[in-house]
Amino acid sequence: MSIRHGLLALLDRGPRYGYQLRTEFESRTGATWPLNVGQVYTTLARLERDSLVVPAGEDDSGHALYAITDAGRTELREWFARPVDRKSPPRDELAIKLAMAVGSPEVDIRAVIQAQRLHTIRAMQDYTRLKAQAIETGPTTRDEVAWLLVLEQLIFSAEAEARWLDHCEARLVRLAESIGQADDDASGQAGGPRRQADSTNSAAHRPARH
């Protein structure tokens, strides 16, 4: 999640202070990607450095406000218009774990897959319950609609992960079968000449019939 652009999107609605930005960010995303105030102010400092936001005085309570600049709005519009780059996907811990497990003979990779599948299905069920609750109360604000979209993305991702785990397990079964067949073939080929030699030697030592 781009915190940088997320904060710009919130500031596009008007000046905000740090804790307010944190609260609205988590409200918009359903706290799926929690922020701490330190992250917010660090990001604001970088945005100010890049001339995308500027200090905008204080509110009635003395909170330091920030406002988006024209350059910030241009950056934000370009971000909305630009597809998310999939050429360099973020590192996925599960994919890395399974890739490492395949090369580790002491690891029961099917047990790893089954444990992850159980966890993924439970998470999907939790997301589905939250979605049902959100629909029951009826999303009436932009933040509620945004949270519903995030929930549905999490559900679709969990479903895709469960299908991928099924695929991984099936592929491992086929791989084990093909390796077993290759070992049997190799054993048969190795045993063939020996059996032929044993047969020849046995014939050589049998007494001739008259």
Side-chain angles (χ1 to χ4, degrees):
M1 178 64 185
S2 175
I3 299 174
R4 173 187 178 94
H5 293 100
L7 297 186
L8 285 176
L10 294 173
L11 289 171
D12 195 36
R13 300 169 63 181
R16 301 282 195 279
Y17 57 88
Y19 191 83
Q20 184 180 13
L21 287 167
R22 175 201 174 192
T23 301
E24 292 187 10
F25 183 95
E26 292 188 351
S27 175
R28 186 73 63 87
T29 62
T32 304
W33 298 284
L35 293 179
N36 60 57
V37 174
Q39 284 179 291
V40 172
Y41 280 108
T42 298
T43 304
L44 286 172
R46 292 171 180 167
L47 291 171
E48 184 180 357
R49 177 200 64 193
D50 297 337
S51 300
L52 302 180
V53 304
V54 292
E58 298 180 349
D59 65 6
D60 295 338
S61 300
H63 298 118
L65 298 172
Y66 290 85
I68 192 171
T69 64
D70 289 340
R73 287 191 175 89
T74 299
E75 170 77 13
L76 181 62
R77 300 297 176 264
E78 290 176 352
W79 179 62
F80 281 132
R82 184 172 59 246
V84 175
D85 186 11
R86 297 300 184 190
K87 294 179 181 178
S88 300
R91 292 182 181 90
D92 184 284
E93 182 181 356
L94 177 57
I96 294 172
K97 180 187 290 188
L98 293 188
M100 295 300 106
V102 168
S104 302
E106 70 277 7
V107 176
D108 184 348
I109 189 169
R110 294 187 69 180
V112 174
I113 290 174
Q114 290 169 4
Q116 183 63 44
R117 184 190 292 114
L118 179 60
H119 174 81
T120 300
I121 291 174
R122 286 176 175 170
M124 184 168 57
Q125 291 170 343
D126 290 340
Y127 297 146
T128 302
R129 280 193 294 270
L130 289 172
K131 176 184 174 181
Q133 294 171 5
I135 292 176
E136 183 179 358
T137 57
T140 57
T141 67
R142 289 179 180 271
D143 284 352
E144 289 173 347
V145 172
W147 169 224
L148 183 59
L149 293 177
V150 170
L151 270 177
E152 290 173 334
Q153 190 275 337
L154 293 172
I155 292 170
F156 290 143
S157 294
E159 289 175 343
E161 183 170 282
R163 291 197 302 271
W164 178 65
L165 289 168
D166 290 342
H167 166 78
C168 290
E169 188 169 34
R171 180 173 291 282
L172 288 169
V173 169
R174 292 195 299 271
L175 179 61
E177 291 174 347
S178 64
I179 291 175
Q181 183 61 48
D183 289 343
D184 289 344
D185 292 343
S187 177
Q189 292 172 0
R194 286 197 301 271
R195 286 194 295 270
Q196 185 176 2
D198 291 343
S199 176
T200 302
N201 291 336
S202 176
H205 287 87
R206 283 199 303 266
R209 292 182 179 178
H210 298 286

